[in-house]
Amino acid sequence: MIPKIILGKGPHATRRTIGYLFGKGRANEHVDPHLVASWNDFAPDPGRSPHRDPKDVEDQLVTQLDQPVKMLGDKAPKHTVWHCPVRAAPEDPILTDDQWADIARRIVAAACIAPEGDEEACRWVAVRHADDHIHIAATLVRQDGRRPQRDFDQRAVQREARQIEVDYGLRRLKPGDGTAAKRPTSKEHFKAKRLGHDATSREILRLRVRRAIAAAADEAEFFALLEATGVTARLKLGPSGDALGCNFALPGDTNDEGEPVFYAGSTLAPDLSLPKIRQRIATTSPEPVSARAGDPWHQATAAAERIPHHLTQGDVPTAQGQLVALGAALDLLPATGPAMLKAELEQAAALFATRSRIVADLDSTRALHRSVQAIWRDRPQDGDGAGFALFLDSLLTAVAFAMHWHRTRQHAQQEAAAQQALLHLQVAYGQVAEPVLAELARRSPSLQTKRRFAHHLQEAAPEHAERILNDPAWDALATVLAEAEAAGHNTATVLDQALRQRPLDDARSPARALTWRVRRLSERHAPSPRAEAARVRNSTQPPASPAQSPPHPTRRR
């Protein structure tokens, strides 16, 4: 259940609000608007007065609501209307008018608009014009002439909404920490529908600005990328001429006067203010040195594979930096992957939450940022699609660890966001991985070679051997082991390295997980005979102390 408080000001604020609530709506969406509750339980109802002109009843209702305000004259507060839509989730049961009336009374009591039993409280009404929501409208002068003590009313209303969800068996939302992006309003949703857009302008701008931040090497390129994607950016200048903020608009999104509708970066999301955008670009811009030669898909994968270590072993600022870098990688992912995956990848990027009150340390994220930028800029060849599948597999694991990290710190909304993003990534992963695995399985080596690999596997991982050998991806794993061997690698060594990277206990398909690990390990230069002999000698020495594996969250692949 989502309550949202809107304040109205001006001499006609009450009339505008009541006129909207009992009108047809901006897209004729208001059906049967009527009162379900009011401050005195017998306020005039413009929606249920069949023998009177509805406009006359509206006038009467506005006059009664405004009476305490008018009594103060010039001493009336700047904001005179408190408007709070309260919306249930789509999957919630349809509530009765009486149930909505009870919810309205609880909301106005929690906000100190009308505490229970206070006969001199503010005047208010609750209007229902759809199955899933009501609007509460109140005037902000009590009947005794005082102003309501509504400090922190947004938090109080949210707390009451969480309790209402419990009491009525509704979908329970996660408590937030005040860092979430502003939700699009009903007006924005209806406008998007009229314009034929799948998302609101606010949501589209948020995605495009984030993607430009992730891709830009400097501030000039950031603004150039915005322009290339159809976003108009306008700097807000102070008296000194310095830029204090930045506003963004989409073509075709105009107001009643035909002017572009601009959104401040900080209203798109708290971390998209101009100072924070500049900090991100300055911190994560590529260093002025030539990048190391190598496959950028593998470099990005290697950098993403280090995220779980930073989340489990690093300090909190470093971990938050890794989450920011992970979010930036997800922002660019739709532009680097196959077109058929774009919708799922964009959903994952939009859902994943990098927001936090923790100051991020981004020093350890440059490798991931540079490699993802290289993929975005250079569009490297990816033959059979294995490079993208490898990278996506590493991001899946990183997002699963991010979900676990948030859970341990009770970041409920961020945990839920990571979980939802993970679902979309899993769908995309299935679509891109299956053809690659099928092609690898088609090139499976001889039965004799597979038996030899199975023997290595049973010696290296007896607890997983049976599952792997019966896994549909076993033939694909055998193929990459054969290719590693042909490239000069020792099969047992590569297999042992792949098994040590991460536990397989949480893998839905252990053979598939090993296939990607072996595939990436086999791309490295094979060790020389002398290096391999040294490795064997060292492996016979007893370890100094047993290493403790970091905890790993459930991550289904």
Side-chain angles (χ1 to χ4, degrees), residues 239-466:
S240 64
D242 294 334
L244 304 179
C246 191
N247 299 332
F248 306 94
L250 287 177
D253 184 12
T254 58
N255 58 22
D256 294 338
E257 286 73 37
E259 300 170 335
V261 177
F262 280 91
Y263 295 82
S266 58
T267 65
L268 296 178
D271 60 339
L272 294 183
S273 64
L274 182 61
K276 291 184 178 179
I277 289 173
R278 284 174 163 171
Q279 182 185 29
R280 283 273 304 277
I281 293 175
T283 308
T284 59
S285 296
E287 296 173 350
V289 294
S290 57
R292 291 183 304 165
D295 187 335
W297 289 110
H298 291 168
Q299 291 175 346
T301 300
E305 284 179 341
R306 289 193 285 272
I307 292 177
H309 171 78
H310 288 296
L311 292 178
T312 55
Q313 304 297 322
D315 57 28
V316 173
T318 298
Q320 181 60 35
Q322 295 296 313
L323 296 178
V324 172
L326 176 56
L330 294 176
D331 288 332
L332 283 183
L333 202 60
T336 58
M340 66 178 182
L341 305 180
K342 184 176 180 180
E344 294 292 344
L345 297 177
E346 284 189 342
Q347 282 292 317
L351 287 166
F352 185 75
T354 60
R355 63 182 189 269
S356 174
R357 295 190 180 280
I358 300 168
V359 177
D361 181 354
L362 298 169
D363 287 343
S364 64
T365 66
R366 292 183 185 274
L368 176 59
H369 194 77
R370 284 200 301 268
S371 55
V372 175
Q373 278 190 334
I375 293 171
W376 179 79
R377 292 173 188 278
D378 303 333
R379 298 295 196 272
Q381 293 296 318
D382 187 22
D384 58 359
F388 184 81
L390 276 164
F391 184 42
L392 186 53
D393 179 72
S394 66
L395 293 179
L396 270 167
T397 301
V399 172
F401 271 80
M403 184 174 66
H404 175 73
W405 189 84
H406 285 306
R407 181 186 302 129
T408 59
R409 285 155 184 81
Q410 299 182 341
H411 301 165
Q413 287 189 345
Q414 289 90 332
E415 178 195 346
Q419 186 176 28
Q420 291 173 339
L422 191 61
L423 295 175
H424 289 281
L425 290 175
Q426 287 170 336
V427 172
Y429 175 76
Q431 293 181 40
V432 73
E434 292 306 327
V436 177
L437 293 168
E439 174 58 24
L440 289 172
R442 189 185 64 79
R443 306 200 308 267
S444 182
S446 67
L447 184 59
Q448 182 178 2
T449 300
K450 289 169 66 175
R451 285 174 178 167
R452 180 162 53 84
F453 292 160
H455 177 71
H456 288 316
L457 183 64
Q458 287 165 340
E459 287 190 338
E463 70 278 19
H464 297 295
E466 184 176 354

Side-chain angles (χ1 to χ4, degrees), residues 201-209 231 248-250 263:
S201 295
R202 187 188 302 276
E203 292 167 322
I204 295 171
L205 285 169
R206 187 183 300 136
L207 178 65
R208 293 184 184 179
V209 172
V231 176
F248 306 94
L250 287 177
Y263 295 82

Side-chain angles (χ1 to χ4, degrees), residues 180-242:
K182 184 178 180 181
R183 294 177 180 272
T185 64
S186 297
K187 180 180 178 180
E188 291 176 71
H189 280 296
F190 289 125
K191 186 174 185 179
K193 186 177 180 180
R194 290 198 307 273
L195 294 174
H197 297 162
D198 294 331
T200 66
S201 295
R202 187 188 302 276
E203 292 167 322
I204 295 171
L205 285 169
R206 187 183 300 136
L207 178 65
R208 293 184 184 179
V209 172
R210 287 196 188 283
R211 188 171 296 168
I213 294 171
D218 52 41
E219 190 171 323
E221 186 177 15
F222 167 70
F223 287 110
L225 290 171
L226 288 177
E227 183 179 0
T229 57
V231 176
T232 301
R234 183 177 67 186
L235 290 174
K236 180 181 178 182
L237 303 178
S240 64
D242 294 334

